[in-house]
Amino acid sequence: MTESRIQELGKIAAELRDFKESPLYEYRIENDYLPVIGSGDPNAAIMFIGEAPGENEAESGQPFVGAAGRVLDELLASIGLKRENVYITNIVKDRPPKNRDPRPVEVELYAPFLERQIAIIQPEVIATLGRFSMEFVLDLLKMPQLGQKIGDLHGQQLEGAAGYGKVTVVPLYHPASGFYNRSLRAAMEEDVLALKPFVK
Ligand code: URA
């Protein structure tokens, strides 16, 4: 089981490394960046989904390794987790120039890779990081909460259905939002507790 998951994820990685169809491919090569495929345990019960890699991520090939990543690590630690215990990825796997929002055509191109990652890992819970990722996942799973604001949905356990079975969606604020806004940071610390029932 684990072996085939690793192999399947490896295939995705190989396809993404050679993903010349992406408008972000050239920018990656010009800057000597790496695609950021995902990291962590292929058998994880908890999957985190962010938006797109930033500079630190594109330089290292790892998701959430910059300042936002440190916030994520602290949130994980607060419920007794390390990043090796979960799976972390993004919707878009290459860095958009100057960290601009990914364009709809880019999201469309990269979405099938994320859908395959979800189908391989079969998480019990998907924690979305930020509004963008929340909307993507609510749309993907055709959930009735699509269209509601993150300010209303953050920290809730929303019951959804994926191809492989039941999945809970927990919308979280993006870890970068916690830098300057102390009340958001407090909300994030409380919201992450919604993941505790899934900690084995
Ligand atoms: N922000 C994201 O959404 N993803 C990362 O990997 C890093 C920062």
Side-chain angles (χ1 to χ4, degrees):
M1 182 77 152
T2 305
E3 192 55 40
S4 69
R5 286 186 186 197
I6 293 170
Q7 277 175 6
E8 292 297 312
L9 291 171
K11 265 190 233 162
I12 293 178
E15 288 172 43
L16 281 166
R17 275 195 288 275
D18 199 33
F19 195 37
K20 300 192 180 71
E21 296 81 1
S22 169
L24 301 174
Y25 179 84
E26 231 174 83
Y27 182 66
R28 183 217 293 170
I29 301 298
E30 277 166 15
N31 288 281
D32 233 349
Y33 287 154
L34 295 165
V36 180
I37 289 133
S39 74
D41 181 0
N43 294 307
I46 307 176
M47 183 171 191
F48 287 86
I49 302 176
E51 180 176 325
E55 188 171 25
N56 292 300
E57 288 78 20
E59 280 173 350
S60 64
Q62 297 297 318
F64 285 96
V65 288
R70 282 193 289 282
V71 175
L72 181 59
D73 285 337
E74 286 168 21
L75 292 172
L76 287 172
S78 75
I79 52 168
L81 288 174
K82 294 196 173 81
R83 60 168 62 208
E84 304 89 83
N85 307 130
V86 300
Y87 194 85
I88 306 173
T89 188
N90 287 298
I91 303 170
V92 167
K93 316 297 195 195
D94 280 297
R95 183 189 181 209
K98 298 189 190 135
N99 296 347
R100 65 159 169 74
D101 285 343
R103 298 191 169 132
V105 55
E106 293 160 358
V107 172
E108 214 172 293
L109 271 172
Y110 286 91
F113 296 99
L114 176 59
E115 290 177 48
R116 282 163 64 194
Q117 287 173 308
I118 295 171
I120 293 165
I121 294 165
Q122 306 192 0
E124 290 172 32
V125 57
I126 294 175
T128 57
L129 297 168
R131 178 181 61 85
F132 204 88
S133 164
M134 178 189 86
E135 286 172 1
F136 179 88
V137 171
L138 294 179
D139 186 33
L140 180 69
L141 301 178
K142 302 192 172 36
M143 292 177 62
Q145 294 85 1
L146 181 64
Q148 290 187 45
K149 295 194 166 64
I150 192 165
D152 295 326
L153 295 179
H154 69 98
Q156 291 190 33
Q157 296 173 338
L158 310 173
E159 298 311 325
Y164 59 87
K166 283 202 296 191
V167 61
T168 303
V169 177
V170 174
L172 299 177
Y173 286 117
H174 195 283
S177 351
F179 295 154
Y180 307 108
N181 187 326
R182 287 175 125 240
S183 67
L184 271 194
R185 177 61 197 243
M188 286 159 73
E189 282 167 18
E190 199 176 316
D191 291 349
V192 80
L193 298 176
L195 299 177
K196 237 181 154 174
F198 302 91
V199 176
K200 305 269 152 75

